[in-house]
Amino acid sequence: MQGIPIRRHRPKMVWKYVISLFLIVFNLLVLYVLVSMSLKTTSADLSNRLAWPSSPSFANYEEVFSTGKILTAYKNSIIITVSTVLLEICLSSLAAYPLARNDSRLNRKISSFCLGVMMIPSVSILVGVYTTLVSLNGISHLWAVVAVESAFGLPMSIFMYTNFIRSIPSALDEAAAIDGAGLLQTFVRIIFPQLKACTISIVIMKGIAAWNSYLYPSYILQKPESHTIILLIKENFGAGEVNIQGAAACAVLGILPVIVIYLCLQKYFVRGQIDAAIK
């Protein structure tokens, strides 16, 4: 009777576990420092950032909520994030469907153009975008940020949706056409429900990007009542006084919704990334 073979990890694979452990510790250390700083008073000694406060205080959080700015920042961030994600999903999925189903020369050029746009740094056209928004009276308006963030995110979303739709058999489209369904009905009722993993991945990636966006909102949203969570953190670093503890408290409140949403949608995100790599 043969014994049960014992699995042994190859020595060559040990470095992967070491790197993974290092990345986990590094990220947890950043969160630890952020939380500990938010629990320190303004008179506390900040020379040792790794030291946990001897008497943790929630005064920084109370001050953030007492001003009422955090609720306004939450509202603005939610409006920008939700609007950007919905706009990207609708436009990119509708654009990807004909690109995936019609393998023509024009569609191949359009796909190549989308890939080329992805290579352009957003900061390189900041002046042109800002000038256009000034002429459209979009400064200090949330819709301007939504339009800019959606425009920069569309190429990647179109690329992801196109690869996923190509993996769906075109026989489903033919069967729907025989039953009398139009192109839009075929896409909405048959194709789009099968893109769940891809859609969840786009929701997480583009949602986090829109929530954490700083460059364009810092130029477009100039009025305090239009500031987002990221810009609220920036307010603690003024020219006269720097409130690190208040900034840390705002940062903790800002990342909580992102962590909760990611934990709820983690399995779909991992599945979408694996499917995207295979396709």
Side-chain angles (χ1 to χ4, degrees):
M1 181 177 180
Q2 298 180 351
I4 300 176
I6 301 176
R7 293 183 178 180
R8 293 185 175 87
H9 296 290
R10 299 178 181 177
K12 296 181 180 180
M13 303 292 291
V14 175
W15 65 273
K16 295 184 178 181
Y17 296 99
V18 174
I19 294 178
S20 300
L21 180 61
F22 172 78
L23 294 176
I24 292 173
V25 172
F26 179 79
N27 285 277
L28 291 178
L29 181 62
V30 173
L31 293 176
Y32 165 79
V33 173
L34 183 64
V35 174
S36 65
M37 290 294 297
S38 67
L39 297 176
K40 293 180 180 180
T41 59
T42 54
S43 59
D45 183 17
L46 302 180
S47 58
N48 189 0
R49 303 294 175 87
L50 296 178
W52 185 261
S54 57
S55 55
S57 174
F58 291 93
N60 297 315
Y61 294 95
E62 295 175 359
E63 183 179 355
V64 170
F65 280 103
S66 63
T67 59
K69 293 182 179 180
I70 186 67
L71 299 179
T72 304
Y74 265 131
K75 182 193 70 174
N76 295 334
S77 295
I78 291 174
I79 292 175
I80 291 176
T81 302
V82 174
S83 302
T84 301
V85 171
L86 290 179
L87 191 60
E88 281 195 35
I89 290 176
C90 293
L91 296 181
S92 60
S93 59
L94 290 174
Y97 183 50
L99 291 177
R101 285 296 186 249
N102 300 324
D103 189 17
S104 62
R105 184 177 180 181
L106 177 61
N107 284 349
R108 286 194 296 269
K109 289 184 178 180
I110 295 176
S111 299
S112 301
F113 175 77
C114 291
L115 292 176
V117 172
M118 291 168 53
M119 306 300 175
I120 301 176
S122 58
V123 67
S124 63
I125 56 175
L126 174 60
V127 177
V129 173
Y130 183 81
T131 304
T132 303
L133 292 177
V134 170
S135 62
L136 295 175
N137 194 24
I139 302 302
S140 295
H141 288 83
L142 300 182
W143 66 262
V145 179
V146 172
V148 172
E149 296 294 335
S150 301
F152 284 120
L154 277 176
M156 173 61 74
S157 301
I158 293 175
F159 176 75
M160 293 180 62
Y161 271 127
T162 301
N163 290 335
F164 270 81
I165 295 175
R166 284 173 179 169
S167 65
I168 300 175
S170 57
L172 296 177
D173 303 61
E174 299 173 359
I178 293 175
D179 292 337
L183 291 177
L184 184 60
Q185 289 180 327
T186 302
F187 175 75
V188 173
R189 297 184 179 182
I190 298 177
I191 303 300
F192 189 76
Q194 302 185 53
L195 305 175
K196 183 178 180 180
C198 181
T199 302
I200 295 297
S201 299
I202 292 176
V203 167
I204 294 177
M205 292 190 300
K206 302 304 180 180
I208 293 177
W211 184 273
N212 295 329
S213 180
Y214 172 76
L215 178 63
Y216 276 89
S218 64
Y219 285 94
I220 298 173
L221 305 178
Q222 298 180 0
K223 295 182 179 179
E225 58 269 19
S226 63
H227 282 182
T228 59
I229 291 290
I230 302 300
L231 298 183
L232 183 62
I233 298 174
K234 177 190 174 184
E235 292 182 6
N236 293 278
F237 299 92
E241 183 180 0
V242 177
N243 186 5
I244 299 180
Q245 295 89 336
C250 292
V252 171
L253 295 174
I255 65 176
L256 281 179
V258 178
I259 294 177
V260 172
I261 294 176
Y262 178 78
L263 292 177
C264 295
L265 304 178
Q266 181 182 12
K267 63 177 181 180
Y268 299 106
F269 178 73
V270 174
R271 185 187 307 169
Q273 293 299 305
I274 294 175
D275 292 344
I278 294 175
K279 294 177 175 60

